[in-house]
Amino acid sequence: MSTHNQGTELDLSWISKIQVNHPAVLRRAEQIQARRPVKKEWQAAWLLKAVTFIDLTTLSGDDTSSNIQRLCYKAKYPIREDLLKALNMHDKGITTAAVCVYPARVCDAVKALKAVGCNIPVASVATGFPAGQTHLKTRLEEIRLAVEDGATEIDVVINRTLVLTGQWEGSDFIKTSTGKETVNATFPVAIVMLRAIRDFFWKTGNKIGFKPAGGIRSAKDSLAWLSLVKEELGDEWLKPELFRIGASTLLSDIERQIYHHVTGRYAAYHDLPMS
Amino acid sequence: MAATRAGPRAREIFTTLEYGPAPESHACALAWLDTQDRLLGHYVSGKWSKPEHRNSVPCQDPTTGENLASCLQAQAEDVAAAAEAARTAFESWSQLPGAARAQHLTRLAKVIQKHQRLLWTLESLVTGRAVREVRDGDVQLAQQLLHYHAVQAHTQEEALAGWEPMGVIGLILPSTFSFLEMMWRICPALAVGCTVVALVPPASPTPLLLAQLAGELGPFPGIINVISGPASLGPVLASQPGVQKVAFCGALEGGLRLLVQESVWEEAMRRLQARMGRLRCGRGLDGAVDMGARGAAARDLAQRYVREAQSQGAQVFQAGDVPLDSPFYPPTLVSDLPPASPCAQAEVPWPVVVASPFRTAKEALALANGTPRGGSASVWSERLGQALELGYGLRVGTVWINSHGLRDPAVPTGGCKESGSSWHGGPDGLYEYLRPSGTPARLSYLSKNLNYDSFGLVVPSALPAGPETGPTPAPPYGLFVGGRFQAPGARSSRPIQDAFGNLHGYVAEGGAKDIRGAVEAAHQAASSWAGQSPGARRALLWALAAALERRESALASRLERQGVELKAAKAEVELSVRRLRAWGAQAQAQGQTLQLGVLAIVCPDEWPLLAFVSLLAPALAHGNTVVMVPSGACPLLALEVCQDMATLFPAGLVNVVTGDRDHLTRCLALHQDIQALWYFGSAQGSQFVEWASAGNLKPVWVSRGLPRAWEQEAEGAGPELGLRAARTKALWLPMGD
């Protein structure tokens, strides 16, 4: 696990001095997708790499142990074996970065992963996800319970009341949003966040991770996200320790693209195992 | 299942996460070149023309050096044929109703849309520019330009009622132009009813493709004609009968100057270098590169510049993912270049950026304005007020605030100083190709006998010519410079005769030193005059009008001595007063306009009072300060007016220099710090003025020896005067928080 953010003295002037040239950010965001197209075997390799960044997520009201089990199996075997063999990637141990579930399902996830012999972390959302409007006492208790059950990563919902009144907290990773808002991970927001990460690194030497979540569905999108991180922060951040993509259906679209690359055909829905 | 591949396989890429090429096929470009058997000629009047016995020049891929095609070099006959075709086309094209031209331009835009892949592929292949830039930038903007100008054509009859298209426009393009530069000029010309002959350097297939697309549109095949040939054919094109205007587009180097405030220098350099490190260089046709190569010549130029800069003490930083072999040159940042070094004065070549620090905004402005170039600039600051102030102060044609490089067909693009004075785009850009209705066609009047070295050099001596007669007291003697009457540097005078052969008076013999002094005085008054509110300008012009009214009898009697009947003389004075008031009112009504600076005006010999006032008023109304050479036949009228200006106007606002007109014209035309020159005199003088003003590319307006009906509204007080007295500037301020 990467070193934790040791934290710094809270210096509010860092925040008040920030200026964002919004129109310029929008222009750069527009160009992202067109700027670095990735084709052929590069695309296949990038997509497999994108898989290793995914926090395979299920956050539905009707989650039960059976769909958790399916999810965990998919996390361990995200791409069909024969497709990986065709790319000579079957022995690289490609799995997703983590699975991400509600606190009550952590136990099921841990059990399911153990059953398939996969040691990727279980991440739990906590702290009154997604609105964060619960008492501090219960929020802390949630975290404790999730960790007790075996979660090794926690997606914390920040207290927006505090943010809007200018009271800040520190973290190891910053995430675009819960993924449950109307507007979630967009490129302009991401650019601003990535620049903030870069500035923080230049000032303190600490590397903070980045996780976009919500609305990332297509393989093409994932390539744009990888390219964005590569351009703004560089190759050092293209590791699961510093970059995660919170997604659920993205994986199947990536699998379809890989299928197309290997076979030259477009897969039917039933050709690939569901997650 | 996986075939063995020569390149890196997925396994390696998985670890390195390199980008890999994203090549665009240029098969369509090659196929088009094949339709011409890889030999490109000219495209005139809707047909390809490949005259025999012509030299040809190879068209090469700047990245690989591979020969793509041969291009014929035109000769004088080809230029003449193209001009003839354009002339014929002009007759029908200009008579069309605007709506018909609008339709045609819209169809041309659609044709470009249908063949855009061929266009961008060909352009990227031949120029080496990144295909992404051409595809997403140039080609889209070209279509927008056509659509915008179609609308302008549509409304031409109402909006531009007193104006007609000039005629055939010649266009001369340099070796480093993009086809978009050509579109910026062709679209307004076509929209208003002109036709075009473009002389492009050989090895430029894209304009030929464009001409072909336009030509095949029918039924106006001759509106765009393209010939490829050497720049030496420029004068041939200019002298063709029917060619009314030649638009010359100079070569753009493409490098940038960056001025960074000291307090943010470290941060800015760090971020710039980080970003430079991410740039990718490669073949232009690769969709994933940021910059291509522009050929061996461009590379050598950049290399020479950087080496010289280093020898002059600069630091050089280069980065980016660049192939090592020629002709690629990495993006380069040059800093710590001493401001006085030759490299700091020279134009910066592509892809170099020269960065210099500054302490205050005032210093930045002085540094930025301290070059002869005046094209475009961008200002970056979170303090909007400061950014706007800098934007106003920069002597350039376009300013972007917190953004760069934005272009839109509705916003005029142009420059000042040595970036030229012509404008394209927007409603103002149309006037480049229009003239007031009824203006006689411009005939080729170049006289081979004019000796530029000796014109106006020597002033013939003037001797005393008898007693001054006349009841009216003579005006104060001297040149009116800096708000007062001063003796001329040459300490001599010339006699002025009246209509009856008697001596009317003596006026000072002004010379080069006096012109210099007058221009200096005008510059000193310029900044405060430019800062005056429109209401203040109106007040001054009205005050002068009132003063002239009071002086009516003196002015009328002087006019009588010049042979004007009393009634006509009074009418002339009245009309002059009215004109002053009209321009004053317009100054206030139109609000703040952008002045040119110091305007030099050589008044016509006829209408010594009316023409003087008719030229003075619009110049002042638009915020300029002036240096005037009054009528040679009777400068005394102007000097009468100066008496009132001495009391009413700030010093230096108006300066009047009398003397030998040719000599004074010579001094003004050769002066590098005059922003515009209007000349109403002989054909020879006009020719000299145009030739000499090329020294600092100041805009000129000459009469070519033709008379002008000053007493009529259209010619004496029409909108043309106002247009020539001001300039445009585009200021971009994207909004959004």
Side-chain angles (χ1 to χ4, degrees):
Chain A
M1 195 54 209
S2 63
T3 52
H4 290 287
N5 177 6
Q6 300 302 324
T8 54
E9 278 294 317
L10 176 61
D11 183 354
L12 285 172
S13 72
W14 285 14
I15 296 174
S16 57
K17 277 201 291 201
I18 289 176
Q19 299 280 344
V20 175
N21 182 346
H22 197 202
V25 167
L26 288 175
R27 273 197 300 279
R28 183 149 172 86
E30 257 175 57
Q31 294 170 358
I32 294 297
Q33 274 165 315
R35 219 175 169 91
R36 297 277 187 264
V38 183
K39 306 278 186 210
K40 300 191 181 155
E41 57 260 38
W42 285 271
Q43 189 181 99
W46 276 53
L47 288 174
L48 289 177
K49 194 77 179 186
V51 168
T52 66
F53 295 139
I54 294 180
D55 279 357
L56 200 56
T57 309
T58 176
L59 295 168
S60 307
D62 56 357
D63 282 341
T64 60
S65 58
S66 57
N67 76 315
I68 298 286
Q69 193 190 43
R70 256 203 328 269
L71 189 85
C72 290
Y73 185 86
K74 195 73 184 170
K76 166 90 173 161
Y77 301 109
I79 307 284
R80 231 170 65 178
E81 178 85 4
D82 61 330
L83 297 173
L84 286 177
K85 273 218 177 82
L87 293 168
N88 194 18
M89 293 292 285
H90 49 283
D91 55 349
K92 285 285 222 175
I94 293 188
T95 64
T96 63
V99 295
C100 187
V101 296
Y102 271 124
R105 305 267 69 83
V106 172
C107 266
D108 293 333
V110 170
K111 212 166 91 183
L113 284 174
K114 199 155 163 221
V116 281
C118 184
N119 61 355
I120 64 179
V122 174
S124 169
V125 300
T127 62
F129 188 93
Q133 293 277 5
T134 52
H135 288 281
L136 180 61
K137 207 163 146 201
T138 45
R139 282 186 274 137
L140 292 173
E141 186 63 15
E142 254 186 79
I143 297 179
R144 259 195 291 276
L145 290 171
V147 172
E148 257 176 44
D149 283 348
T152 49
E153 297 177 0
I154 306 287
D155 277 10
V156 174
V157 182
I158 58 176
N159 184 332
R160 274 182 274 184
T161 317
L162 295 180
V163 169
L164 293 166
T165 57
Q167 304 172 64
W168 294 97
E169 308 159 0
S171 69
D172 289 319
F173 249 81
I174 52 176
K175 187 173 166 184
T176 53
S177 64
T178 58
K180 299 286 188 193
E181 302 291 311
T182 38
V183 175
N184 290 301
T186 60
F187 291 124
V189 162
I191 289 173
V192 176
M193 288 173 78
L194 291 171
R195 298 276 168 89
I197 293 177
R198 183 182 68 178
D199 285 358
F200 188 73
F201 174 59
W202 282 349
K203 275 201 175 77
T204 66
N206 284 332
K207 291 186 189 164
I208 302 300
F210 175 67
K211 173 173 170 176
I216 304 179
R217 285 186 202 94
S218 71
K220 193 161 169 238
D221 281 344
S222 70
L223 291 174
W225 282 102
L226 257 70
S227 163
L228 179 62
V229 173
K230 188 177 163 84
E231 291 293 299
E232 293 294 328
L233 293 173
D235 290 343
E236 290 161 38
W237 259 263
L238 286 173
K239 299 203 259 287
E241 292 84 11
L242 287 171
F243 179 52
R244 298 286 177 82
I245 302 178
S248 39
T249 50
L250 173 64
L251 185 52
S252 37
D253 195 53
I254 290 184
E255 207 177 1
R256 301 170 75 76
Q257 292 302 314
I258 303 273
Y259 183 97
H260 179 246
H261 174 80
V262 169
T263 66
R265 296 159 189 251
Y266 287 108
Y269 173 68
H270 54 255
D271 281 324
L272 298 163
M274 72 184 260
S275 58
Chain B
M1 150 117 213
T4 45
R5 280 182 262 255
R9 302 178 63 195
R11 216 177 156 84
E12 289 98 74
I13 305 169
F14 184 79
T15 320
T16 62
L17 272 194
E18 56 179 51
Y19 276 116
E24 296 243 346
S25 158
H26 58 280
C28 54
L30 295 178
W32 180 76
L33 289 169
D34 283 334
T35 63
Q36 296 298 311
D37 298 319
R38 302 288 180 116
L39 176 65
L40 293 173
H42 318 301
Y43 195 85
V44 173
S45 199
K47 294 191 285 287
W48 284 99
S49 109
K50 291 187 192 170
E52 301 193 333
H53 313 299
R54 299 281 186 267
N55 296 332
S56 72
V57 166
C59 173
Q60 289 173 326
D61 180 340
T63 315
T64 61
E66 177 196 340
N67 264 2
L68 297 166
S70 301
C71 302
L72 291 183
Q73 289 241 51
Q75 285 179 10
E77 305 92 76
D78 306 324
V79 176
E84 176 67 41
R87 241 195 340 272
T88 319
F90 174 71
E91 273 150 40
S92 44
W93 181 246
S94 57
Q95 296 303 320
L96 278 183
R101 284 201 291 276
Q103 267 242 307
H104 194 86
L105 289 176
T106 311
R107 285 170 61 212
L108 182 56
K110 297 239 164 76
V111 163
I112 289 185
Q113 188 184 28
K114 289 179 190 156
H115 299 284
Q116 52 183 310
R117 178 169 285 274
L118 174 58
L119 258 172
W120 82 53
T121 308
L122 184 63
E123 175 81 349
S124 174
L125 176 66
V126 169
T127 62
R129 287 167 59 209
V131 67
R132 194 190 60 223
E133 211 180 288
V134 186
R135 178 189 66 211
D136 298 335
D138 289 31
V139 171
Q140 306 312 317
L141 193 50
Q143 291 174 61
Q144 286 169 23
L145 275 167
L146 281 164
H147 283 298
Y148 175 81
H149 285 99
V151 173
Q152 300 293 90
H154 198 90
T155 55
Q156 189 176 346
E157 271 94 11
E158 305 95 66
L160 295 166
W163 301 83
E164 61 182 27
M166 268 187 189
V168 174
I169 307 294
L171 185 57
I172 301 181
L173 296 166
S175 54
T176 53
F177 76 103
S178 66
F179 96 93
L180 185 62
E181 295 289 320
M182 193 176 76
M183 291 303 285
W184 272 103
R185 287 154 180 80
I186 289 185
C187 292
L190 292 180
V192 299
C194 298
T195 53
V196 176
V197 176
L199 176 65
V200 302
S204 323
T206 326
L208 288 164
L209 171 60
L210 193 72
Q212 182 183 358
L213 289 174
E216 289 174 354
L217 205 50
F220 297 100
I223 56 177
I224 302 180
N225 307 280
V226 176
I227 23 179
S228 66
S232 55
L233 286 175
V236 176
L237 179 57
S239 59
Q240 292 299 315
V243 173
Q244 295 292 293
K245 179 168 189 163
V246 173
F248 170 71
C249 183
L252 281 173
E253 288 303 337
L256 282 181
R257 247 170 236 292
L258 184 60
L259 298 171
V260 180
Q261 192 156 25
E262 262 182 359
S263 51
V264 294
W265 175 265
E266 292 295 333
E267 267 301 299
M269 288 298 111
R270 178 183 210 176
R271 285 159 197 262
L272 181 57
Q273 288 172 356
R275 180 66 79 88
M276 281 170 72
R278 305 239 50 95
L279 291 173
R280 300 189 77 222
C281 247
R283 191 173 163 68
L285 280 169
D286 186 334
V289 304
D290 295 306
M291 36 192 274
R294 294 192 188 175
R299 173 181 214 255
D300 292 339
L301 188 63
Q303 202 162 50
R304 262 203 312 275
Y305 183 90
V306 170
R307 286 209 187 116
E308 269 186 52
Q310 269 176 317
S311 72
Q312 286 159 23
Q315 298 291 316
V316 171
F317 173 85
Q318 292 179 327
D321 174 12
V322 184
L324 288 171
D325 47 325
S326 183
F328 293 104
Y329 197 76
T332 308
L333 175 63
V334 172
S335 52
D336 295 335
L337 187 62
S341 64
C343 275
Q345 298 296 313
E347 259 197 85
V348 182
W350 181 88
V352 182
V353 172
V354 175
S356 330
F358 63 86
R359 290 163 299 170
T360 60
K362 206 164 152 200
E363 189 180 13
L365 201 56
L367 281 171
N369 284 338
T371 75
R373 291 168 273 284
S376 58
S378 59
V379 178
W380 299 78
S381 172
E382 76 277 13
R383 285 161 55 192
L384 208 52
Q386 182 176 71
L388 277 170
E389 189 171 13
L390 269 171
Y392 274 104
L394 281 166
R395 284 202 69 95
V396 292
T398 305
V399 177
W400 295 286
I401 295 187
N402 292 338
S403 52
H404 192 92
L406 306 174
R407 294 224 183 267
D408 187 280
V411 179
T413 306
C416 53
K417 298 193 282 187
E418 288 186 13
S419 295
S421 56
S422 67
W423 287 88
H424 296 96
D428 293 342
L430 298 172
Y431 289 108
E432 291 291 331
Y433 304 103
L434 291 167
R435 62 181 182 214
S437 298
T439 312
R442 180 194 172 103
L443 296 168
S444 185
Y445 69 95
L446 279 185
S447 155
K448 301 273 191 275
N449 303 330
L450 182 59
N451 186 334
Y452 295 113
D453 293 327
S454 67
F455 177 87
L457 192 57
V458 172
V459 179
S461 348
L463 299 169
E468 292 181 44
T469 58
T472 51
Y477 171 78
L479 311 168
F480 182 65
V481 172
R484 57 191 184 85
F485 289 89
Q486 334 180 348
R491 302 278 192 267
S492 97
S493 323
R494 54 175 37 219
I496 303 296
Q497 304 281 342
D498 69 12
F500 311 101
N502 299 322
L503 177 65
H504 195 160
Y506 288 100
V507 293
E509 185 77 61
K513 284 217 184 82
D514 305 303
I515 291 289
R516 191 181 78 193
V519 174
E520 267 171 33
H523 272 293
Q524 276 177 358
S527 54
S528 64
W529 181 239
Q532 290 288 333
S533 69
R537 291 186 205 164
R538 193 255 332 141
L540 269 176
L541 286 169
W542 280 25
L544 184 62
L548 287 193
E549 263 182 332
R550 286 192 292 272
R551 200 177 274 278
E552 190 202 15
S553 55
L555 292 169
S557 72
R558 282 209 189 276
L559 280 169
E560 272 186 294
R561 283 202 62 175
Q562 295 301 120
V564 180
E565 258 191 75
L566 181 59
K567 204 162 141 209
K570 284 197 171 161
E572 187 174 338
V573 176
E574 258 177 57
L575 186 52
S576 307
V577 167
R578 265 212 312 278
R579 293 245 167 106
L580 277 169
R581 290 218 166 97
W583 282 109
Q586 197 178 340
Q588 182 164 318
Q590 78 201 356
Q592 201 66 276
T593 57
L594 212 47
Q595 73 291 352
L596 291 165
V598 171
L599 235 168
I601 307 177
V602 179
C603 302
D605 274 336
E606 64 272 14
W607 295 100
L609 175 63
L610 182 61
F612 178 79
V613 168
S614 300
L615 289 165
L616 177 67
L620 290 180
H622 287 82
N624 305 296
T625 52
V626 290
V627 173
M628 302 188 72
V629 174
S631 153
C634 186
L636 295 161
L637 270 307
L639 290 173
E640 284 281 347
V641 180
C642 289
Q643 289 181 77
D644 288 310
M645 296 200 283
T647 48
L648 293 169
F649 283 5
L653 184 61
V654 179
N655 307 276
V656 176
V657 180
T658 51
D660 180 76
R661 283 164 64 78
D662 282 350
H663 179 62
L664 295 176
T665 300
R666 182 191 182 85
C667 300
L668 290 171
L670 290 173
H671 201 299
Q672 304 261 106
D673 207 5
I674 290 178
Q675 278 67 56
L677 176 52
W678 296 354
Y679 178 81
F680 295 93
S682 63
Q684 282 219 328
S686 302
Q687 187 177 332
F688 181 83
V689 161
E690 289 187 324
W691 174 86
S693 299
N696 69 331
L697 286 181
K698 57 179 166 291
V700 298
W701 182 20
V702 298
S703 64
R704 289 175 260 130
L706 299 171
R708 196 176 172 89
W710 293 100
E711 74 282 11
Q712 289 172 16
E713 255 323 280
E715 294 193 9
E720 192 182 6
L721 286 155
L723 281 172
R724 289 191 184 266
R727 67 183 178 104
T728 315
K729 186 170 181 177
L731 197 77
W732 290 78
L733 182 51
M735 70 176 205
D737 175 38

